[in-house]
Amino acid sequence: MSTSENGSQPRFFEYSASMIRMGLRETKAARTRQQIVDVALGLFLDRGFDQVTMEEIAEGAEIGTSTLYRYFPSKDLLILDPLLSFTELGDRLRERPRDEPLEVALGAAIRGSLVDFTRAPVTAEVRRIVDTTPSPRAKLWDIMATSRVDLESAVADRMGAPIDDVGVALTSRMMMVVFEMVAEAWWAGDHTRPIDEAVDETLGRIQSADIVLPGAYAVTPLRAAAS
């Protein structure tokens, strides 16, 4: 391999060094982020969510407060971190092969998100804190709404339908319902059952269930009849 005209190493080595530096920065950032989460969750579980300050989290993670806020702008986002695998449903669906049957792709997207979700050993304890603390609970609902829009976009693309199609909306919401049902079963159980089995059982129960959809008015509404 030839060198450049001034005798320096070729650009290939410049690009390689740049990529290595970028990879190291990303690795360090990921490690710092995980350290912050671990410290914060430990404090939340030990002392309670409202009793812990961002300054104490930064001190425990051995970083500056400004650095902490760059990673997590609020305590709500910190405690919600282990619970946000459902936000990946849209991306996981987009990763599935285009020629894969839609129902198979939907199931695979749910399984992939739930596997990451159930790996966190403190997930159940964190969920109990969130369920009883108004601020992170409200933030979780906001994130769920945003994630649902992204999921609807991915489902619409796979179905070849407009994003406001009722089938797209129902399919997307059903995915989130299945995710929630399996997660709740896992929280309530002994956490040792393979997640694939839990997903398949939940899907089987849904497919065999007698589901009654709300119907349109069968009679003239009272307001119209009185006018």
Side-chain angles (χ1 to χ4, degrees), residues 93-160:
L93 180 57
R94 294 183 184 96
E95 293 170 356
R96 303 304 303 175
R98 295 291 299 186
D99 58 350
E100 187 174 52
L102 180 57
E103 62 272 19
V104 175
L106 296 176
I110 292 172
R111 285 184 183 86
S113 295
L114 280 165
V115 165
D116 288 346
F117 174 81
T118 56
R119 280 176 180 162
V122 298
T123 301
E125 290 81 358
V126 168
R127 179 57 191 259
R128 280 192 283 270
I129 294 176
V130 171
D131 284 345
T132 57
T133 310
S135 178
R137 186 172 66 235
K139 185 63 176 179
L140 180 60
W141 279 101
D142 288 343
I143 295 172
M144 288 176 66
T146 301
S147 299
R148 189 184 68 234
V149 172
D150 178 66
L151 177 57
E152 288 175 350
S153 174
V155 170
D157 179 61
R158 289 297 296 258
M159 294 178 68

Side-chain angles (χ1 to χ4, degrees), residues 25-221:
R25 284 196 298 269
E26 292 175 350
T27 299
K28 181 180 179 181
R31 188 165 54 243
T32 299
R33 188 181 191 281
Q34 189 58 52
Q35 172 70 5
I36 293 170
V37 172
D38 291 343
V39 168
L41 295 183
L43 290 171
F44 294 151
L45 295 175
D46 182 52
R47 294 167 47 194
F49 179 78
D50 290 330
Q51 283 66 47
V52 177
T53 67
M54 292 290 273
E55 289 74 19
E56 289 171 326
I57 295 170
E59 181 179 355
E62 299 181 346
I63 59 173
T65 304
S66 60
T67 300
L68 172 60
Y69 277 101
R70 283 202 301 271
Y71 282 90
F72 294 96
S74 70
K75 278 202 306 179
D76 293 341
L77 292 175
L78 257 171
I79 196 168
L80 291 175
D81 187 78
L83 306 180
L84 298 184
S85 291
F86 69 85
T87 63
E88 302 172 356
L89 283 171
D91 287 338
R92 288 186 181 272
L93 180 57
R94 294 183 184 96
E95 293 170 356
R96 303 304 303 175
R98 295 291 299 186
D99 58 350
E100 187 174 52
L102 180 57
E103 62 272 19
V104 175
L106 296 176
I110 292 172
R111 285 184 183 86
S113 295
L114 280 165
V115 165
D116 288 346
F117 174 81
T118 56
R119 280 176 180 162
V122 298
T123 301
E125 290 81 358
V126 168
R127 179 57 191 259
R128 280 192 283 270
I129 294 176
V130 171
D131 284 345
T132 57
T133 310
S135 178
R137 186 172 66 235
K139 185 63 176 179
L140 180 60
W141 279 101
D142 288 343
I143 295 172
M144 288 176 66
T146 301
S147 299
R148 189 184 68 234
V149 172
D150 178 66
L151 177 57
E152 288 175 350
S153 174
V155 170
D157 179 61
R158 289 297 296 258
M159 294 178 68
I163 196 169
D164 59 353
D165 180 82
V166 67
V168 169
L170 288 173
T171 300
S172 302
R173 283 162 174 75
M174 183 58 70
M175 283 188 71
M176 299 194 79
V177 167
V178 171
F179 185 100
E180 184 176 356
M181 289 177 66
V182 176
E184 287 179 349
W186 182 81
W187 289 325
D190 60 7
H191 308 170
T192 61
R193 186 181 184 190
I195 197 64
D196 283 353
E197 291 183 9
V199 172
D200 289 340
E201 179 182 297
T202 301
L203 290 174
R205 288 166 55 199
I206 291 173
Q207 291 167 357
S208 62
D210 292 327
I211 300 176
V212 180
L213 296 176
Y217 278 116
V219 296
T220 304

